[in-house]
Amino acid sequence: MAAQMTDAHRRFLQVLMSHGIMEGSEARKLHRRCCEIHKVYYAHDKLDDFVSTINSHLQPLFMQIRKGMSEGDGRAHYALVNLAETEITKMASDYTENELELFRKTMDLIISSENGFASSTDILNLTDQLKTKKMKKKEAEQVLKVFVEDKWLSEKNGEYTLHTRCIIEMEQYILSNYQDVVRKCNICHSLAIQSQVCESCGIGMHLPCVRKYFRAQTEPRCPQCNDFWSCDIPG
């Protein structure tokens, strides 16, 4: 039988809904605050149990709080995911058809790239290829800005990648639509967009997982085939 939902659980869910996604340390602070406000038993290491209780009550609504990892720094994040709709269609209420087409094409570029990034120049050049409706480059720049604000994309120095929220929400969509291209991280078994790949056997690892895995090793060797890891270990 599912554990009882309290007002602390409800408050946590409401705040997460308003944010869409929350970094792990913020979620832990929120967990503590909700328990204190509603005088509910609090244990600092029980956030995942607390979330699990919420998820058991969200199940009939086809929603779920999912935990994922930032590919940039390895930090945990929590996102509220709608399971009832396919991932791209749930974006349809927020964006026009040609904006969605630009997003899909941007995703194609990012996922098929070697490092999990696509330059703004390459993305803006896609505007001529849109089938739904042509888009001016100035307009596309604004659309990309909105995708970043809405946490579907992340941008750094003119390079775009998928936001942690996007990866958490769209993992199944990406795995089924890009199965010939994408891989899961050999260490944490989550979808790996930004990753290093073993030249010998082809397994991939997130950069934070690479850093953590090789920290204690004098000579970096692939966890799968034991060949020398030729990529530079991130500092």
Side-chain angles (χ1 to χ4, degrees):
M1 194 173 132
Q4 196 61 40
M5 273 270 274
T6 67
D7 286 340
H9 293 95
R10 291 183 193 96
R11 181 181 289 264
F12 183 94
L13 178 59
Q14 281 171 348
V15 175
L16 184 59
M17 280 174 83
S18 68
H19 284 73
I21 185 167
M22 195 173 271
E23 201 257 310
S25 62
E26 289 302 309
R28 286 191 292 276
K29 279 183 205 163
L30 177 62
H31 173 213
R32 180 176 188 162
R33 198 157 64 241
C34 291
C35 290
E36 285 171 352
I37 289 168
H38 295 287
K39 296 179 172 51
V40 169
Y41 170 72
Y42 165 76
H44 72 91
D45 58 346
K46 297 293 184 191
L47 172 58
D48 286 350
D49 290 348
F50 186 83
V51 165
S52 188
T53 297
I54 298 172
N55 279 340
S56 64
H57 291 269
L58 287 177
Q59 203 174 355
L61 306 173
F62 300 101
M63 297 189 84
Q64 188 181 63
I65 298 172
R66 278 191 187 157
K67 187 178 180 181
M69 182 190 82
S70 161
E71 294 198 317
D73 57 23
R75 290 179 183 173
H77 284 70
Y78 292 82
L80 185 66
V81 178
N82 184 342
L83 307 172
E85 305 168 41
T86 61
E87 287 75 358
I88 292 280
T89 57
K90 76 175 68 150
M91 293 175 72
S93 56
D94 298 321
Y95 308 104
T96 63
E97 273 187 57
N98 64 334
E99 287 170 351
L100 276 181
E101 191 185 353
L102 180 66
F103 180 79
R104 281 196 197 93
K105 286 186 179 295
T106 301
M107 191 185 257
D108 291 346
L109 273 185
I110 290 168
I111 290 173
S112 59
S113 71
E114 281 186 11
N115 63 354
F117 283 88
S119 72
S120 56
T121 309
D122 288 344
I123 296 170
L124 293 176
N125 286 338
L126 296 170
T127 52
D128 302 330
Q129 302 167 28
L130 299 181
K131 293 185 175 69
T132 42
K133 184 186 167 193
K134 294 288 180 277
M135 192 186 283
K136 290 178 180 158
K137 285 188 167 60
K138 261 280 178 259
E139 192 187 340
E141 281 174 358
Q142 282 304 114
V143 173
L144 286 175
K145 205 173 164 187
V146 172
F147 286 147
V148 170
E149 285 168 4
D150 291 349
K151 299 186 176 80
W152 294 111
L153 296 176
S154 294
E155 183 269 337
K156 192 177 181 182
N157 303 325
E159 295 277 315
Y160 289 82
T161 189
L162 302 184
H163 193 282
T164 308
R165 175 198 178 183
C166 180
I167 293 172
I168 293 174
E169 289 216 20
M170 296 202 182
E171 181 166 3
Q172 288 314 311
Y173 174 88
I174 293 168
L175 286 170
S176 57
N177 285 273
Y178 298 91
Q179 50 190 296
D180 298 334
V181 192
V182 295
R183 52 176 62 82
K184 286 192 172 189
C185 173
N186 191 260
I187 301 299
C188 72
H189 309 295
S190 296
L191 177 64
I193 304 297
Q194 297 173 47
S195 62
Q196 289 186 353
V197 177
C198 175
E199 287 184 0
S200 301
C201 69
I203 63 134
M205 290 198 279
H206 286 123
L207 305 189
C209 293
V210 167
R211 194 162 49 234
K212 206 180 290 181
Y213 182 77
F214 291 127
R215 191 181 289 154
Q217 296 189 25
T218 47
E219 189 180 59
R221 291 195 167 274
C222 173
Q224 179 84 8
C225 68
N226 206 36
D227 271 10
F228 182 74
W229 193 265
S230 57
C231 306
D232 291 334
I233 310 302

